[in-house]
Amino acid sequence: MSVAADPATCDIPVAGGTSTHALINSCPKRVAFKFSSQVRTSNNKYYRIKPVFGFIESGHSSNLEVTRLPGGPDKADRLHVVYVEVSPDVKVAEKALQGSATKQFIVPLGGPGQPGSDPDLSAVTPV
């Protein structure tokens, strides 16, 4: 059981745009999550993620919005999604992730032609 994004890749061109995804919890328990844009250069300044922290009940999903601002290098980046199973009494996701044994998965970020990209950009809204 795990947490996954649907669609699994986020293909936004250098011109910018917004892509919406479902973050799906198939774990047997509620999870706390956080997003971290990990890039090899200074591309962090071109991505915005909403929400950064949150909870998803078992068997449910939460919307994830990824926005790429215009400009910056045209390269493949990645979004790290870190999560941990938590009990219902946990109220602050950020604190639940501190010092816990977390799991993670990666959502590839990038525009057309980048590794892992999907040439169909119909889900991308221009900025």
Side-chain angles (χ1 to χ4, degrees):
M1 299 291 177
S2 64
V3 176
D6 182 29
T9 62
C10 181
D11 304 314
I12 305 174
V14 171
T18 300
S19 183
T20 302
H21 303 257
L23 193 60
I24 304 164
N25 177 10
S26 62
C27 295
K29 294 184 179 179
R30 176 181 187 232
V31 297
F33 66 86
K34 75 174 178 177
F35 296 100
S36 174
S37 181
Q38 301 289 323
V39 296
R40 293 189 177 132
T41 63
S42 61
N43 242 11
N44 280 338
K45 68 182 181 179
Y46 293 101
Y47 287 99
R48 302 292 181 267
I49 312 299
K50 289 183 195 176
V52 175
F53 293 95
F55 294 102
I56 309 171
E57 298 298 327
S58 176
H60 288 83
S61 65
S62 178
N63 285 336
L64 160 66
E65 183 179 281
V66 179
T67 300
R68 190 187 198 295
L69 303 175
D74 185 11
K75 65 183 198 66
D77 297 313
R78 56 188 179 256
L79 174 67
H80 287 235
V81 182
V82 179
Y83 65 96
V84 64
E85 291 183 5
V86 296
S87 64
D89 61 321
V90 174
K91 303 295 182 209
V92 182
E94 186 174 8
K95 289 183 180 179
L97 291 153
Q98 294 173 352
S100 298
T102 60
K103 297 178 182 179
Q104 73 173 348
F105 68 96
I106 295 172
V107 177
L109 303 171
Q114 295 297 337
S117 72
D118 180 350
D120 176 15
L121 296 176
S122 59
V124 175
T125 305
V127 175

